[in-house]
Coordinates of all heavy atoms in Angstrom, one line a residue:
M169 N 79.1 96.4 98.8 CA 80.3 96.7 99.2 C 81.3 96.0 98.4 O 81.1 94.8 98.1 CB 80.6 96.4 100.7 CG 81.8 96.9 101.2 SD 82.2 96.1 102.8 CE 80.8 96.7 103.8
S170 N 82.3 96.6 97.7 CA 83.3 95.9 96.8 C 84.6 96.0 97.5 O 85.1 97.1 97.8 CB 83.2 96.5 95.5 OG 83.6 97.8 95.5
E171 N 85.2 94.9 97.5 CA 86.6 94.8 98.1 C 87.5 94.5 97.1 O 87.4 93.6 96.3 CB 86.6 93.8 99.3 CG 86.0 94.4 100.5 CD 86.2 93.4 101.8 OE1 87.3 93.1 101.9 OE2 85.3 93.3 102.6
R172 N 88.7 95.2 97.0 CA 89.7 94.9 96.2 C 90.9 94.2 96.9 O 91.2 94.7 97.9 CB 90.1 96.2 95.4 CG 89.2 96.7 94.4 CD 89.7 97.7 93.6 NE 90.3 98.8 94.4 CZ 91.1 99.7 94.0 NH1 91.5 99.8 92.7 NH2 91.6 100.7 94.8
N173 N 91.5 93.3 96.3 CA 92.5 92.6 96.8 C 93.8 93.4 96.2 O 94.5 92.8 95.4 CB 92.7 91.2 96.6 CG 92.1 90.4 97.6 OD1 91.9 90.9 98.7 ND2 91.5 89.2 97.2
D174 N 94.1 94.6 96.8 CA 95.2 95.3 96.3 C 96.2 95.3 97.3 O 96.1 95.8 98.4 CB 94.7 96.8 96.0 CG 95.8 97.6 95.4 OD1 97.0 97.2 95.2 OD2 95.4 98.7 94.9
S175 N 97.4 94.7 97.0 CA 98.5 94.6 98.0 C 99.2 96.0 98.3 O 99.9 96.1 99.3 CB 99.6 93.5 97.6 OG 100.0 94.0 96.4
M176 N 98.9 96.8 97.5 CA 99.5 98.3 97.7 C 98.6 99.1 98.4 O 99.0 100.4 98.3 CB 100.0 98.7 96.3 CG 101.1 98.0 95.7 SD 102.6 97.9 96.7 CE 103.2 99.6 96.4
E177 N 97.4 98.8 98.9 CA 96.5 99.7 99.4 C 97.2 100.3 100.7 O 98.0 99.7 101.4 CB 95.3 99.0 99.8 CG 95.4 97.9 100.8 CD 94.1 97.2 101.1 OE1 93.1 97.8 100.9 OE2 94.2 96.0 101.5
P178 N 96.8 101.5 100.9 CA 97.3 102.3 102.0 C 96.8 101.7 103.3 O 95.8 100.9 103.4 CB 96.8 103.7 101.8 CG 95.6 103.5 101.1 CD 95.8 102.3 100.3
A179 N 97.5 101.9 104.3 CA 97.3 101.5 105.8 C 95.9 101.9 106.1 O 95.5 103.1 106.0 CB 98.3 101.9 106.9
K180 N 95.0 101.0 106.6 CA 93.8 101.4 107.2 C 93.6 101.0 108.6 O 94.1 100.1 109.1 CB 92.7 100.7 106.2 CG 92.5 101.3 104.9 CD 91.2 100.5 104.1 CE 91.1 101.2 102.7 NZ 90.1 100.5 101.9
V181 N 92.6 101.7 109.2 CA 92.4 101.4 110.6 C 90.9 101.3 110.7 O 90.0 101.7 109.8 CB 92.8 102.5 111.4 CG1 94.3 102.7 111.5 CG2 92.3 103.9 111.2
S182 N 90.4 100.5 111.7 CA 89.0 100.4 111.9 C 88.5 101.4 112.8 O 89.0 101.7 114.0 CB 88.7 99.0 112.5 OG 88.9 98.1 111.5
C183 N 87.3 102.1 112.7 CA 86.7 103.0 113.5 C 86.3 102.3 114.8 O 85.6 101.2 114.7 CB 85.4 103.7 112.8 SG 84.5 104.6 113.9
E184 N 86.6 102.9 115.9 CA 86.2 102.3 117.1 C 84.7 102.0 117.4 O 84.2 101.2 118.1 CB 86.8 103.1 118.3 CG 86.7 102.5 119.7 CD 87.5 101.4 120.0 OE1 88.4 101.1 119.1 OE2 87.2 100.5 120.9
V185 N 83.9 102.9 116.8 CA 82.5 103.0 117.0 C 81.7 102.2 116.0 O 81.0 101.2 116.3 CB 82.0 104.4 117.0 CG1 80.5 104.4 117.2 CG2 82.7 105.3 118.2
C186 N 81.9 102.5 114.7 CA 81.2 101.8 113.6 C 81.9 100.8 112.9 O 81.3 100.1 112.0 CB 80.5 102.8 112.7 SG 81.9 103.7 111.6
M187 N 83.2 100.6 113.2 CA 84.1 99.6 112.6 C 84.3 99.8 111.2 O 84.8 98.8 110.5 CB 83.4 98.2 112.8 CG 83.2 97.7 114.3 SD 84.6 97.8 115.3 CE 84.0 98.0 116.8
A188 N 84.0 101.0 110.7 CA 84.3 101.2 109.3 C 85.8 101.3 109.0 O 86.5 101.8 109.9 CB 83.6 102.5 108.9
E189 N 86.2 100.8 108.0 CA 87.6 101.1 107.7 C 87.9 102.3 107.1 O 87.2 102.7 106.1 CB 88.2 99.8 106.8 CG 88.2 98.5 107.5 CD 89.1 97.5 106.7 OE1 89.2 97.6 105.5 OE2 89.5 96.6 107.3
V190 N 88.9 103.0 107.6 CA 89.3 104.3 107.1 C 90.7 104.4 106.9 O 91.5 103.8 107.6 CB 88.7 105.5 108.0 CG1 87.2 105.6 107.9 CG2 89.2 105.2 109.4
P191 N 91.1 105.1 105.9 CA 92.5 105.2 105.7 C 93.1 106.0 106.9 O 92.6 106.8 107.4 CB 92.7 106.3 104.5 CG 91.4 106.1 103.7 CD 90.4 105.8 104.8
H192 N 94.3 105.4 107.2 CA 95.0 105.9 108.5 C 95.1 107.4 108.5 O 94.9 108.2 109.6 CB 96.4 105.3 108.6 CG 97.1 105.7 109.9 ND1 97.9 106.8 110.0 CD2 97.1 105.1 111.1 CE1 98.4 106.8 111.2 NE2 97.9 105.9 111.9
D193 N 95.4 108.1 107.3 CA 95.6 109.5 107.1 C 94.4 110.3 107.5 O 94.4 111.4 107.9 CB 96.2 109.8 105.9 CG 97.6 109.4 105.6 OD1 98.3 109.1 106.7 OD2 98.0 109.4 104.5
D194 N 93.2 109.7 107.2 CA 92.0 110.3 107.3 C 91.3 110.2 108.7 O 90.4 110.8 109.1 CB 91.0 109.8 106.2 CG 91.3 110.5 104.8 OD1 92.1 111.3 104.8 OD2 90.8 109.9 103.9
A195 N 91.8 109.1 109.4 CA 91.1 108.8 110.7 C 91.5 109.9 111.8 O 92.5 110.4 111.9 CB 91.6 107.5 111.1
K196 N 90.4 110.1 112.6 CA 90.7 110.9 113.8 C 91.3 109.8 114.8 O 90.8 108.7 115.0 CB 89.3 111.4 114.3 CG 88.5 112.2 113.4 CD 89.1 113.3 113.0 CE 88.4 114.2 111.9 NZ 89.1 115.1 111.1
S197 N 92.3 110.3 115.6 CA 92.9 109.3 116.6 C 92.9 109.9 117.9 O 92.8 111.1 118.2 CB 94.4 109.0 116.1 OG 95.1 110.2 116.2
M198 N 92.8 109.0 118.8 CA 92.8 109.4 120.2 C 93.7 108.5 120.9 O 93.6 107.3 121.0 CB 91.2 109.0 120.7 CG 91.1 109.1 122.2 SD 90.9 110.8 122.9 CE 91.1 110.4 124.6
E199 N 94.7 109.2 121.6 CA 95.8 108.4 122.1 C 95.7 108.4 123.7 O 95.5 109.5 124.3 CB 97.1 109.0 121.8 CG 97.5 108.8 120.4 CD 99.0 109.4 120.1 OE1 99.9 109.2 121.0 OE2 99.1 109.8 118.9
G200 N 95.7 107.2 124.2 CA 95.7 107.0 125.7 C 97.1 106.8 126.1 O 98.0 106.8 125.3
S201 N 97.2 106.5 127.3 CA 98.6 106.2 127.9 C 99.2 105.0 127.2 O 100.4 104.9 127.0 CB 98.5 106.1 129.3 OG 97.6 105.0 129.7
D202 N 98.4 104.0 126.8 CA 99.0 102.8 126.3 C 98.1 102.2 125.2 O 98.1 100.9 124.9 CB 99.3 101.6 127.3 CG 98.1 101.3 128.1 OD1 97.0 102.0 127.9 OD2 98.1 100.5 128.8
Y203 N 97.3 103.0 124.6 CA 96.5 102.6 123.4 C 96.2 103.7 122.5 O 96.4 104.9 122.8 CB 95.2 102.0 123.9 CG 94.3 103.0 124.7 CD1 93.4 103.8 124.0 CD2 94.6 103.2 126.1 CE1 92.6 104.8 124.6 CE2 93.8 104.2 126.8 CZ 92.8 105.0 126.2 OH 92.1 105.9 126.6
V204 N 95.7 103.4 121.3 CA 95.4 104.4 120.3 C 94.0 104.0 119.8 O 93.9 102.9 119.3 CB 96.3 104.6 119.2 CG1 95.9 105.7 118.3 CG2 97.7 104.9 119.7
L205 N 93.0 104.9 119.7 CA 91.7 104.5 119.2 C 91.6 105.4 117.9 O 92.0 106.5 117.8 CB 90.7 104.9 120.2 CG 90.6 104.1 121.5 CD1 89.6 104.7 122.4 CD2 90.6 102.8 121.3
Y206 N 91.0 104.9 116.9 CA 90.7 105.6 115.6 C 89.3 105.7 115.3 O 88.4 104.9 115.9 CB 91.4 104.9 114.5 CG 92.8 104.7 114.6 CD1 93.5 103.6 115.0 CD2 93.7 105.9 114.3 CE1 94.8 103.5 115.2 CE2 94.9 105.9 114.5 CZ 95.5 104.8 114.8 OH 97.0 104.6 115.0
F207 N 88.8 106.8 114.7 CA 87.5 107.1 114.5 C 87.3 107.5 113.0 O 88.3 108.3 112.5 CB 86.9 108.1 115.4 CG 87.1 107.8 116.9 CD1 88.2 108.2 117.5 CD2 86.1 107.0 117.5 CE1 88.3 107.9 118.9 CE2 86.3 106.7 118.8 CZ 87.3 107.2 119.6
C208 N 86.3 107.1 112.5 CA 86.2 107.6 111.0 C 85.9 109.1 110.7 O 86.0 109.6 109.6 CB 85.0 106.8 110.3 SG 83.4 106.9 110.9
G209 N 85.4 109.7 111.8 CA 85.1 111.1 111.7 C 84.6 111.5 113.1 O 84.6 110.7 114.1
L210 N 84.3 112.9 113.2 CA 83.9 113.4 114.5 C 82.6 112.9 114.9 O 82.5 112.8 116.3 CB 83.9 115.1 114.3 CG 85.3 115.7 114.2 CD1 85.2 117.2 114.0 CD2 86.1 115.4 115.5
D211 N 81.7 112.5 114.1 CA 80.5 112.0 114.6 C 80.6 110.7 115.5 O 80.1 110.7 116.5 CB 79.6 111.5 113.3 CG 78.8 112.8 112.9 OD1 79.0 113.9 113.4 OD2 78.2 112.5 111.8
C212 N 81.6 109.9 115.1 CA 81.9 108.8 115.8 C 82.7 108.9 117.0 O 82.4 108.4 118.1 CB 82.5 107.6 114.8 SG 81.3 106.7 113.9
Y213 N 83.5 110.0 116.9 CA 84.4 110.4 118.0 C 83.4 110.9 119.1 O 83.5 110.5 120.3 CB 85.4 111.5 117.7 CG 86.1 111.9 118.8 CD1 87.0 111.2 119.5 CD2 85.7 113.2 119.5 CE1 87.8 111.8 120.6 CE2 86.3 113.6 120.6 CZ 87.3 113.0 121.1 OH 88.0 113.4 122.2
D214 N 82.5 111.8 118.7 CA 81.7 112.4 119.7 C 80.6 111.2 120.4 O 80.5 111.2 121.6 CB 80.6 113.2 119.0 CG 81.4 114.6 118.7 OD1 82.4 114.9 119.3 OD2 80.8 115.4 117.9
R215 N 80.3 110.3 119.6 CA 79.6 109.1 120.1 C 80.4 108.5 121.1 O 79.9 108.0 122.3 CB 79.0 108.2 119.0 CG 77.8 107.4 119.4 CD 77.3 106.6 118.3 NE 77.2 107.4 117.1 CZ 76.9 106.9 115.8 NH1 76.7 105.6 115.7 NH2 76.7 107.6 114.8
W216 N 81.7 108.0 120.8 CA 82.5 107.4 121.8 C 82.8 108.1 122.9 O 82.7 107.7 124.0 CB 83.8 107.1 120.9 CG 84.8 106.4 122.0 CD1 84.9 105.1 122.3 CD2 85.8 107.2 122.7 NE1 86.0 105.0 123.2 CE2 86.5 106.2 123.4 CE3 86.2 108.5 122.7 CZ2 87.6 106.6 124.3 CZ3 87.2 108.7 123.6 CH2 87.9 107.9 124.3
A217 N 82.9 109.5 122.9 CA 83.2 110.3 124.0 C 82.1 110.3 124.9 O 82.2 110.3 126.1 CB 83.6 111.7 123.5
D218 N 80.8 110.3 124.3 CA 79.6 110.4 125.1 C 79.5 109.1 126.0 O 79.2 109.1 127.2 CB 78.4 110.4 124.3 CG 78.1 111.9 123.9 OD1 78.7 112.9 124.4 OD2 77.1 112.3 123.1
E219 N 79.7 108.0 125.3 CA 79.7 106.7 126.0 C 80.7 106.6 127.1 O 80.6 106.1 128.2 CB 79.7 105.6 125.1 CG 78.5 105.4 124.3 CD 78.6 104.3 123.1 OE1 79.5 103.5 123.3 OE2 77.7 104.2 122.3
A220 N 81.9 107.0 126.7 CA 83.0 106.9 127.8 C 82.7 107.8 129.0 O 83.0 107.4 130.2 CB 84.3 107.4 127.1
K221 N 81.9 108.8 128.8 CA 81.6 109.8 129.8 C 80.6 109.1 130.8 O 80.7 109.2 132.0 CB 80.9 111.1 129.3 CG 81.4 112.3 130.0 CD 80.7 113.6 129.5 CE 81.2 113.8 128.1 NZ 80.4 114.9 127.4
E222 N 79.6 108.5 130.1 CA 78.6 107.8 130.8 C 79.2 106.7 131.7 O 78.8 106.4 132.9 CB 77.5 107.2 129.9 CG 76.5 108.2 129.5 CD 75.6 107.7 128.4 OE1 75.4 106.5 128.5 OE2 75.0 108.6 127.6
E223 N 80.2 105.9 131.1 CA 80.7 104.9 131.9 C 81.4 105.4 133.1 O 81.5 104.8 134.3 CB 81.8 104.0 131.1 CG 81.1 103.0 130.2 CD 82.0 102.3 129.3 OE1 83.1 102.3 129.6 OE2 81.5 101.9 128.2
E224 N 82.2 106.5 133.0 CA 82.9 107.1 134.1 C 82.0 107.5 135.3 O 82.2 107.3 136.4 CB 83.7 108.2 133.6 CG 85.1 107.8 133.1 CD 85.8 109.0 132.6 OE1 85.5 110.2 132.9 OE2 86.8 108.9 131.7
S225 N 80.8 108.1 134.9 CA 80.0 108.6 136.0 C 79.0 107.5 136.4 O 77.9 107.8 137.0 CB 79.1 109.7 135.4 OG 78.3 109.3 134.2
G226 N 79.4 106.1 136.3 CA 78.4 105.1 136.7 C 78.5 104.7 138.1 O 77.7 104.0 138.6
E227 N 79.3 105.3 138.9 CA 79.4 105.1 140.3 C 78.3 105.8 141.1 O 78.3 107.0 141.3 CB 80.8 105.4 140.9 CG 82.0 104.7 140.3 CD 83.1 105.0 140.9 OE1 83.5 104.6 141.9 OE2 84.0 105.7 140.3
Ligands
LIG542 ZN1 82.8 105.5 112.7

């Protein structure tokens, strides 16, 4: 992995699932009432959605 110290780099966000940094423009976002989650792609979004579903049905 090579990181550049470029002060002009575009805004990046961290994927909620795999923690990969992705450009804000490319990230899938999921907005809740008082939070925003970002995903590097639909694969991670699906994984997150599956886990959220399991947590909800835990009762
Ligand atoms: Zn990801």
Side-chain angles (χ1 to χ4, degrees):
M169 190 190 298
S170 63
E171 283 185 43
R172 289 188 306 165
N173 270 335
D174 187 349
S175 58
M176 296 296 287
E177 67 185 331
K180 286 186 180 175
V181 294
S182 294
C183 173
E184 183 70 17
V185 175
C186 70
M187 303 300 157
E189 288 198 334
V190 288
H192 184 267
D193 287 350
D194 288 348
K196 310 290 175 200
S197 63
M198 164 79 189
E199 290 186 35
S201 52
D202 58 354
Y203 63 91
V204 184
L205 302 177
Y206 295 102
F207 305 92
C208 63
L210 284 178
D211 279 357
C212 279
Y213 173 78
D214 283 347
R215 205 177 305 174
W216 173 84
D218 276 355
E219 286 178 15
K221 215 181 298 173
E222 281 173 23
E223 276 176 28
E224 273 178 21
S225 61
E227 293 184 80

